[in-house]
């Protein structure tokens, strides 16, 4: 199991701390891949190369002001956006694209949930999957907490949409904070062999960095989560959490999590 950290692609000080702490890879936002200039992307790549740290994952696939479901989906704009991002993702070697994007996949009251699922599966199948395949990447669908979106709350919900897309490079993600908050099954993740291909971890209540000062029962939750990820064949898990002291928290988290693995 490889442990990564979610940080900005141009947060060079944090990236150096990641390397010092023993982080296996970087996960960054897809938005910066689409927005940054070519010169900025080259600068970031040179920085990562200089410290021998790969950026293999990217989250927040679609920004909230670009709708994936509803009556006004602009597929032309979506296609242009993801093409820019995937061009840079391919250059950096990003292999896993996380579709959280709670606002982008939310719909108004009265709109059909089934229609929204079909729209999301259509976007993934006809636009995202072919572009990801060209870049040598997969897309993983992230269930979110009930307050963050109007669809896809459990790991099985994510797997359902992935299956609807009928594309082999569309899979699911398990995020411990969301799993715990929605009372989804940690043990059930282990039964999703071949479908859960990436994960996020944080302290499951406060969403802060896991720490060796956490209660024993919380450490048991981390351990059970890792056991289920290993059982289903998921090999990467990124720390996605709040911190007021990244330099200290990343060291403590990596030490703890790797001891639990």
């Amino acid at each position: 199991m490889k442990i990564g950290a979610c940080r900005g692609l141009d947060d060079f000080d944090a990236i150096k701390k990641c390397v010092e702490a023993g982080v296996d890879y970087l996960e960054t936002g897809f938005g910066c891949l689409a927005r940054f200039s070519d010169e900025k992307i080259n600068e970031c790549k040179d920085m990562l190369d200089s410290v021998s740290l790969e950026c293999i994952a990217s989250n927040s696939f679609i920004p909230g002001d670009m709708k994936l479901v509803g009556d006004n989906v602009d597929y032309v704009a979506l296609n242009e956006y993801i093409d820019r991002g995937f061009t840079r993702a391919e250059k950096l070697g990003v292999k896993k694209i996380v579709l959280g994007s709670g606002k982008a996949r939310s719909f108004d009251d009265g709109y059909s949930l089934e229609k929204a699922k079909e729209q999301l599966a259509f976007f993934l199948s006809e636009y995202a999957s072919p572009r990801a395949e060209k870049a040598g990447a997969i897309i993983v669908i992230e269930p979110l907490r009930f307050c963050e979106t109007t669809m896809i709350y459990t790991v099985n919900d994510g797997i359902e949409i992935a299956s609807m897309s009928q594309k082999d490079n569309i899979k699911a993600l398990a995020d411990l904070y969301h799993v715990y908050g929605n009372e989804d099954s940690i043990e059930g993740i282990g039964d999703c062999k071949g479908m859960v291909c990436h994960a996020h971890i944080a302290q499951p209540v406060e969403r802060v960095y896991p720490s060796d000062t956490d209660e024993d029962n919380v450490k048991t939750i981390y351990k059970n989560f890792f056991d289920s990820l290993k059982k289903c064949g998921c090999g990467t898990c990124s720390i996605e959490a709040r911190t007021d002291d990244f330099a200290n928290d990343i060291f403590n988290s990596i030490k703890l999590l790797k001891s639990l693995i």
Side-chain angles (χ1 to χ4, degrees), residues 138-212:
I138 66 171
I139 296 166
V140 289
I141 302 170
E142 179 179 20
L144 300 175
R145 287 201 171 195
F146 295 120
C147 61
E148 297 175 311
T149 189
T150 58
M151 64 187 297
I152 312 175
Y153 301 118
T154 68
V155 172
N156 281 332
D157 287 345
I159 291 173
E160 178 189 12
I161 302 297
S163 298
M164 287 175 65
S165 77
Q166 298 184 329
K167 296 293 184 180
D168 291 338
N169 63 346
I170 308 296
K171 303 293 184 179
L173 175 147
D175 181 307
L176 179 60
Y177 175 72
H178 302 312
V179 168
Y180 186 86
N182 288 355
E183 299 184 354
D184 198 4
S185 171
I186 292 176
E187 291 74 17
I189 296 167
D191 298 326
C192 303
K193 191 171 181 63
M195 289 304 297
V196 176
C197 295
H198 190 44
H200 289 158
I201 193 168
Q203 198 270 5
V205 177
E206 301 298 329
R207 207 181 194 180
V208 293
Y209 272 58
S211 170
D212 56 8

Side-chain angles (χ1 to χ4, degrees), residues 18-108:
C18 286
V19 174
E20 294 169 5
V23 168
D24 294 313
Y25 65 87
L26 179 71
E27 177 170 331
T28 197
F30 191 86
C32 67
L33 301 182
R35 293 193 312 269
F36 284 179
S37 66
D38 289 336
E39 292 76 15
K40 185 71 171 179
I41 291 292
N42 289 336
E43 180 186 3
C44 294
K45 185 178 187 306
D46 288 344
M47 169 60 187
L48 291 170
D49 289 345
S50 73
V51 294
S52 300
L53 186 67
E54 295 180 299
C55 180
I56 68 167
S58 181
N59 54 44
S60 301
F61 185 25
I62 305 298
D65 60 354
M66 300 185 78
K67 298 298 292 181
L68 293 171
V69 302
D71 293 325
N72 298 298
V73 179
D74 188 342
Y75 290 108
V76 173
L78 283 168
N79 197 46
E80 291 175 351
Y81 172 80
I82 67 171
D83 186 64
R84 289 196 306 273
F86 271 116
T87 297
R88 277 66 176 279
E90 185 173 4
K91 184 170 188 175
L92 289 170
V94 177
K95 299 301 181 186
K96 299 182 180 185
I97 309 295
V98 179
L99 175 59
S101 306
K103 289 184 179 179
R105 74 187 200 211
S106 289
F107 50 87
D108 295 331

Side-chain angles (χ1 to χ4, degrees), residues 124-139:
L124 290 168
S125 176
E126 299 302 315
Y127 292 91
S129 172
R131 194 59 189 84
E133 183 176 12
K134 184 179 178 182
I138 66 171
I139 296 166

Side-chain angles (χ1 to χ4, degrees), residues 212-230:
D212 56 8
T213 61
D214 289 336
E215 299 288 340
D216 286 345
N217 66 308
V218 176
K219 292 177 183 177
T220 298
I221 292 173
Y222 299 146
K223 181 68 166 57
N224 292 342
F225 186 60
F226 282 138
D227 287 346
S228 289
L229 292 178
K230 287 187 283 187

